[in-house]
Amino acid sequence: MYIVTGGAGFIGSAMIWKLNQLGIDDILVVDNLSTSDKWSNLVGLRYEDYLHRDQFLKFVLEGDDPFDTQAVIHMGACSATTERDADFLMENNYRYTQYVCRHCLAHDARFINASSAATYGDGEWGFDDGHEGIDRLRPLNMYGYSKQLFDLWASKGGMLDRIVSLKFFNVYGPNEYHKDDMRSVICKAHRQITETGQLKLFKSYREEYPDGGQKRDFVYIKDCVDIMAWFLANPDKNGIFNIGTGTARTWNDLARAVFAAMDREPVIEYIPMPESIRDKYQYFTEARMDKLAAAGCDVVMTSLEDGAADYVRNYLSRDNPYLLSR
């Protein structure tokens, strides 16, 4: 059994789509659907069963493995960078991940964890995914800190040679629609341009960056799941790895890519950035990808223009925008 926690979420459901493409449907989906629209991400995907996150944790804490687990792809977490309940993030993101990791190691199951580029903070120490410098990183929000804590715990416990922890950069693509304000700017931009004909971007508050010139490493969801599939096929490759393109692009680049995918001329308005996030805003992120390449991963990353075109034309502009197993 392949277990995907957060399996109804953005990256989790996309990973199930990828597993289905590989002919795998012996999958247990673990999540907390509650009253959200995440269930829509599962429609059309093939999997064996669904289990609530609390019930799965009960099995884990009791040391039971009735699933004959091959691998746990642990994408389950609260990913809201604006979440203020630190105790909740400690339990949901940090402690839960510890429990699942220990469970996998005890049962000789592959463990692939979702870390985050938010662990890098303002980028003062760069975006190098080497293990030796992770204790210097200073995340800017509690979400990033919860992810950093697990990486530190795994490092101190000597586990990084037996597990994979992936630092996802700015992921965009199908199946993110339930994320509300945490959806990618491409997703928001398509709706905003459709409704108003223009796109609003934040002004810059640092002289070295023009308005819309703030840079991020935007990575397409299909590349992310291809890389995770590569790790499943290469169980001897372990450690912390960045998942990005290795090339920072501006928000203006992103805007032009979306307008081009929609066959429209760019119309951009720059608006004030909310004061609540100005001090914690990342002006630059760019994944160092040489470590993953050195490990032998041959996934070719999709350019921002090609990713935006596929997302906009084949998903956002269609009646059914979800990833489906075909």
Side-chain angles (χ1 to χ4, degrees):
M1 186 76 75
Y2 289 81
I3 299 175
V4 184
T5 71
F10 176 27
I11 300 178
S13 62
M15 190 59 199
I16 295 173
W17 171 78
K18 180 63 180 181
L19 290 172
N20 287 171
Q21 285 189 320
L22 296 173
I24 299 169
D25 55 16
D26 198 10
I27 302 166
L28 174 67
V29 177
V30 175
D31 212 308
N32 176 23
L33 294 177
S34 188
T35 58
S36 74
D37 290 328
K38 286 191 293 183
W39 65 269
S40 300
N41 289 338
L42 297 173
V43 176
L45 300 180
R46 303 190 309 274
Y47 57 95
E48 186 70 22
D49 207 349
Y50 167 85
L51 202 61
H52 189 274
R53 63 178 299 281
D54 293 343
Q55 186 61 42
F56 178 64
L57 181 61
K58 184 175 182 290
F59 282 117
V60 167
L61 293 178
E62 291 176 352
D64 294 335
D65 184 22
F67 317 108
D68 190 21
T69 306
Q70 174 77 16
V72 174
I73 303 157
H74 183 52
M75 301 291 109
C78 172
S79 60
T81 58
T82 54
E83 175 60 56
R84 300 294 300 276
D85 189 338
D87 286 327
F88 168 69
L89 290 173
M90 279 291 195
E91 287 301 316
N92 190 71
N93 289 10
Y94 172 50
R95 197 73 64 192
Y96 196 104
T97 308
Q98 283 183 316
Y99 296 144
V100 177
C101 178
R102 286 197 188 102
H103 180 78
C104 287
L105 294 177
H107 293 277
D108 197 27
R110 188 77 164 127
F111 181 69
I112 298 177
N113 174 59
S115 185
S116 172
T119 59
Y120 289 116
D122 64 4
E124 176 186 2
W125 296 102
F127 301 92
D128 189 339
D129 50 6
H131 298 169
E132 61 279 354
I134 61 173
D135 59 338
R136 298 182 302 186
L137 302 180
R138 299 292 182 267
L140 296 176
N141 52 59
M142 184 58 209
Y143 163 71
Y145 184 51
S146 70
K147 293 296 187 179
Q148 168 75 347
L149 282 175
F150 175 78
D151 288 343
L152 287 170
W153 174 80
S155 176
K156 292 175 182 176
M159 302 173 190
L160 292 180
D161 61 346
R162 292 181 288 164
I163 68 170
V164 177
S165 193
L166 302 176
K167 295 197 177 195
F168 292 98
F169 278 65
N170 282 67
V171 185
Y172 66 94
N175 287 25
E176 62 172 317
Y177 318 116
H178 64 282
K179 291 171 66 68
D180 297 325
D181 196 49
M182 298 306 298
R183 289 171 297 151
S184 72
V185 172
I186 290 183
C187 185
K188 295 177 183 178
H190 178 265
R191 173 176 291 184
Q192 193 176 130
I193 294 167
T194 300
E195 293 177 351
T196 69
Q198 66 174 8
L199 176 61
K200 296 180 179 180
L201 296 176
F202 287 142
K203 292 181 178 180
S204 171
Y205 292 85
R206 289 170 56 173
E207 292 183 359
E208 64 268 36
Y209 293 93
D211 291 340
Q214 308 95 319
K215 292 185 174 182
R216 299 289 178 87
D217 193 331
F218 303 103
V219 57
Y220 198 28
I221 184 63
K222 293 183 180 181
D223 296 340
C224 296
V225 298
D226 282 349
I227 291 171
M228 288 194 286
W230 181 85
F231 276 108
L232 285 175
N234 292 272
D236 60 318
K237 306 299 183 182
N238 294 294
I240 296 173
F241 291 89
N242 286 334
I243 304 295
T245 65
T247 303
R249 303 293 300 276
T250 68
W251 291 111
N252 288 328
D253 290 335
L254 181 146
R256 286 189 286 267
V258 176
F259 276 106
M262 298 177 69
D263 297 317
R264 300 193 185 206
E265 290 297 317
V267 180
I268 304 171
E269 177 186 355
Y270 301 102
I271 62 174
M273 185 184 298
E275 292 187 10
S276 60
I277 66 172
R278 287 183 194 178
D279 294 338
K280 298 180 179 180
Y281 187 81
Q282 287 180 308
Y283 274 76
F284 179 88
T285 67
E286 184 176 78
R288 287 283 302 274
M289 296 298 292
D290 47 323
K291 181 180 174 185
L292 184 63
C297 183
D298 56 358
V299 175
V300 178
M301 307 308 288
T302 305
S303 71
L304 176 59
E305 286 74 15
D306 288 344
D310 183 55
Y311 188 20
V312 168
R313 294 169 182 168
N314 295 322
Y315 297 95
L316 293 174
S317 297
R318 297 194 173 218
D319 290 338
N320 189 337
Y322 293 92
L323 280 167
L324 298 175
S325 180
R326 297 180 176 89

